[in-house]
Amino acid sequence: MDLRICHLYGDLMSIYGDRGNVLTLQRRAEWRGIAATVETVSAGDRLDPERFDLYFFGGGQDAQQDIVAADLAGPNGVALKEAIAGGAAVLSVCGGYQLLGHFYRPFEGPELPGVSALDVHTVAGRRRFIGNVVATAEQPLVGFENHSGLTYLGPNAKPLATIEVGAGNNGEDGSEGAVQGKVIGTYLHGSLLPKNPWLADKVITWALERRNGHVDLPALDDTAEREAREHAIALAHKRR
Ligand code: GLN
C-alpha cells in the first residue's frame, strides 16, 4: 500500500500549526511501512481527481479565503467533488472547513461560495472565539480555535464532537466540526492530529480504503501523544 496526500492550497491556507497535521498523516503511515507522498495543489494548478487518496485543507484568513473560493468555483472545485465521490478522504480545518460547506459569509464583502461537500454554512459573527478546546467524540479531541465564523449544520452533516470547553461550530449548540461520508471539518488547529492520533488513523484508514478495500491499521505506541493530549486537556480547563 502507499498513501498519496494532497496539501490543498498549502501555500495559502496553513496557520496555527496546520502543517503538523500533514506531517502526522505522513509519519503515521510511514511508521507502519506505508510509503506516503505529499504534494501541494494550489490556486491556478490543475487538480487531478484520480491522483490523491487524502486531502488536507487547512485554515486561513479572509484574504486567502477569497483567492481559494474563486479557484474552487472553477474546475478545481468540480475535481475535488469528483475525488470525494471516488472515495478520497478529506480533513479540513477552520477556513478550509468553511469553504467545504455551502457558503461563507464574511463580515464585509461578498459571500464566498463553497463546494457543498459538507452540509454546513458559515456566517461571520461579531466576536472571535480564541483558545484551547476540549470536545468528546469516540475519544477526547483537543485543539486550539481562532475564528469568528459561526458554522451551522444541515441534516446531512453530523457533528464531529461535542464541546466541553470552548465554542466549536458556533458557541450555541455545543457541536464541534462536521462529518459527512469521508469528509471531516473542524475548527481545531494546534496542531490537531499530533495530539489526537485516533483521528489521524481514522482519516488514513479511509484514505487507504480508496484503493485497497478494507484496511486495519496496526496500533502504534501513542504514549507521548496521550501525554500531550492530557496536558492540553488540563490547559484547556483553565480557560473556563
Ligand atoms: N476567516 C475565518 C474565521 O475567522 C477562518 C479563520 C481561520 O481559518 N483560522 O472564521
Side-chain angles (χ1 to χ4, degrees):
M1 288 195 287
D2 68 302
L3 179 66
R4 302 185 207 143
I5 302 168
C6 175
H7 193 178
L8 199 57
Y9 304 105
D11 57 336
L12 293 165
M13 305 280 286
S14 186
I15 47 175
Y16 313 126
D18 278 342
R19 214 184 108 64
N21 296 316
V22 177
L23 287 173
T24 302
L25 293 166
Q26 186 173 26
R27 293 288 183 274
R28 292 186 72 83
E30 288 170 351
W31 288 338
R32 289 152 163 135
I34 301 164
T37 53
V38 178
E39 290 173 44
T40 298
V41 173
S42 193
D45 297 339
R46 193 63 187 250
L47 178 64
D48 172 1
E50 296 293 321
R51 189 167 177 82
F52 300 104
D53 307 308
L54 206 176
Y55 293 82
F56 176 76
F57 188 6
Q61 301 306 334
D62 291 20
Q64 286 78 40
Q65 285 184 288
D66 283 348
I67 301 167
V68 170
D71 191 70
L72 283 173
N76 282 343
V78 177
L80 181 60
K81 290 202 71 167
E82 250 178 77
I84 293 167
V90 184
L91 176 64
S92 61
V93 177
C94 201
Y97 170 32
Q98 293 171 351
L99 293 181
L100 288 187
H102 301 303
F103 61 84
Y104 168 55
R105 189 181 304 144
F107 213 67
E108 282 171 357
E111 189 169 289
L112 305 183
V115 296
S116 296
L118 288 168
D119 184 16
V120 307
H121 70 272
T122 305
V123 292
R126 289 190 168 273
R127 69 181 267 232
R128 183 161 277 277
F129 299 117
I130 306 174
N132 294 315
V133 174
V134 182
T136 311
E138 300 144 55
Q139 293 193 36
L141 196 62
V142 297
F144 167 78
E145 65 182 337
N146 185 351
H147 59 106
S148 63
L150 307 171
T151 298
Y152 298 94
L153 275 56
N156 295 326
K158 297 281 164 271
L160 172 66
T162 305
I163 284 288
E164 283 182 36
V165 181
N169 282 328
N170 49 54
E172 295 162 26
D173 63 17
S175 70
E176 156 47 35
V179 189
Q180 189 170 332
K182 292 189 196 173
V183 181
I184 292 178
T186 174
Y187 271 110
L188 303 186
H189 298 271
S191 304
L192 172 71
L193 295 182
K195 294 191 288 277
N196 301 285
W198 66 271
L199 187 62
D201 286 353
K202 180 197 275 286
V203 176
I204 292 169
T205 302
W206 284 349
L208 290 170
E209 287 179 344
R210 181 177 83 110
R211 289 183 288 132
N212 297 287
H214 180 75
V215 170
D216 266 323
L217 286 181
L220 296 172
D221 176 2
D222 287 332
T223 310
E225 288 81 353
R226 244 192 322 273
E227 282 172 8
R229 188 167 74 183
E230 292 309 316
H231 181 67
I233 289 173
L235 276 182
H237 280 284
K238 290 189 183 154
R239 180 182 174 185
R240 273 207 231 255

